[in-house]
Amino acid sequence: MNNISTSNNWDTSLYEDKHAFVWQYGEDLLQLLNPQPGESILDLGCGTGQLTEKIAQAGADVWGIDSAPAMIEKARENYPHIRFDVANAANFQVDKPLDAVFSNAVLHWVKEADSAIASIHQSLKPGGRFVAEFGGKGNVLAIATALESALQGINIPTQALNPWYFPSIGEYATLLEQQGFDVIYAMLFARPTPLAEGEAGMANWIEMFASTFLAGLSGEQQIQVIRVVEEYLKPTLYQQGTWTADYRRIRIVAIKL
Ligand code: BEZ
């Protein structure tokens, strides 16, 4: 089995072919951003650039950054007219303060939330807005619990394997307020997300997004763990030939004071 996304080394073809829902759902968030012609906007964690392009289509001056070089390479190939750079959410810098920072389905990968918020804050003009959606408290809880119990079943310690940060509204809004933001909108909601590829959907999702849980296992052990996880989750997350991931999203709009 390929270790597809370990070490930030994403398989961008697999990402674009089988996980297009990541940016398709993000289109709702664009409405919340409401980009205007001439605005300077950063797409933080732009992936392969599909939402960055939508922001550009609104007439904004948009810049996409992502920490994964493979994503940036693909984004540049997809949309050569847009500026894309490799940069990290926890320590990026801008040349000139921005009107808005937009981020879809990325900040749950950034455990140093304080550093990311500090970077976002320093990048905005006073009055500039931060519009984000990512995994919130309870996100993929059933999947993570199944992975942890399958690993514990073969005596693998799991404490250090979970790569995600899924805050509550209270926790994240507090961090934002502490760093000089006014939180004007916050929502936490369940968004059960059907996965592509029928019966293979859960295995594909785990390989793409949860590979840190499998790092260090042999190929055979990885297959075994995924089988156990599928058996465990089937009664709740598999219906009529489709797997559904138990996503819960946090959506935030905050203004720099
Ligand atoms: C999410 O979008 O919620 C998510 C994606 C991959 C791994 C974990 C969470």
Side-chain angles (χ1 to χ4, degrees), residues 60-256:
D61 177 15
V62 66
W63 175 39
I65 63 173
D66 201 289
S67 64
M71 291 287 190
I72 289 299
E73 196 181 319
K74 189 73 170 127
R76 287 176 178 155
E77 198 181 300
N78 286 345
Y79 308 107
H81 55 291
I82 296 177
R83 177 181 168 198
F84 292 102
D85 288 299
V86 177
N88 196 303
N91 61 17
F92 69 92
Q93 301 272 331
V94 294
D95 302 332
K96 234 173 80 192
L98 305 165
D99 292 302
V101 173
F102 172 85
S103 184
N104 178 56
V106 165
L107 290 170
H108 47 250
W109 294 107
V110 184
K111 285 196 169 180
E112 317 98 300
D114 262 329
S115 305
I117 290 169
S119 296
I120 293 162
H121 189 267
Q122 60 80 33
S123 75
L124 286 168
K125 296 174 182 168
R129 63 202 188 280
F130 168 46
V131 179
E133 179 179 317
F134 55 103
K137 187 173 182 187
N139 195 39
V140 295
L141 186 59
I143 302 175
T145 305
L147 277 164
E148 283 167 1
S149 81
L151 288 165
Q152 281 154 10
I154 53 169
N155 295 320
I156 306 282
T158 56
Q159 301 90 307
L161 300 180
N162 189 321
W164 303 313
Y165 168 66
F166 298 139
S168 67
I169 288 179
E171 185 181 341
Y172 205 70
T174 302
L175 293 181
L176 287 164
E177 286 172 358
Q178 282 168 346
Q179 295 211 38
F181 279 100
D182 195 12
V183 178
I184 60 166
Y185 176 99
M187 193 174 174
L188 180 68
F189 58 99
R191 199 197 60 211
T193 300
L195 304 177
E197 291 289 284
E199 215 176 342
M202 183 55 69
N204 286 346
W205 188 93
I206 291 169
E207 289 173 25
M208 183 90 210
F209 295 120
S211 63
T212 55
F213 286 94
L214 306 178
L217 302 187
S218 67
E220 210 171 298
Q221 282 176 312
Q222 293 185 17
I223 290 167
Q224 182 58 24
V225 164
I226 290 178
R227 275 206 198 116
V228 171
V229 168
E230 287 175 334
E231 283 312 304
Y232 189 86
L233 294 175
K234 228 168 199 172
T236 48
L237 298 184
Y238 187 68
Q239 254 134 32
Q240 293 165 351
T242 300
W243 284 99
T244 298
D246 54 332
Y247 278 19
R248 289 184 97 208
R249 322 308 295 164
I250 183 168
R251 245 182 219 179
I252 290 273
V253 180
I255 306 294
K256 176 171 173 168

Side-chain angles (χ1 to χ4, degrees), residues 10-19 48 74 208:
W10 296 87
D11 179 330
T12 55
S13 305
L14 193 62
Y15 175 77
E16 288 193 323
D17 289 351
K18 307 275 191 300
H19 303 93
T48 48
K74 189 73 170 127
M208 183 90 210

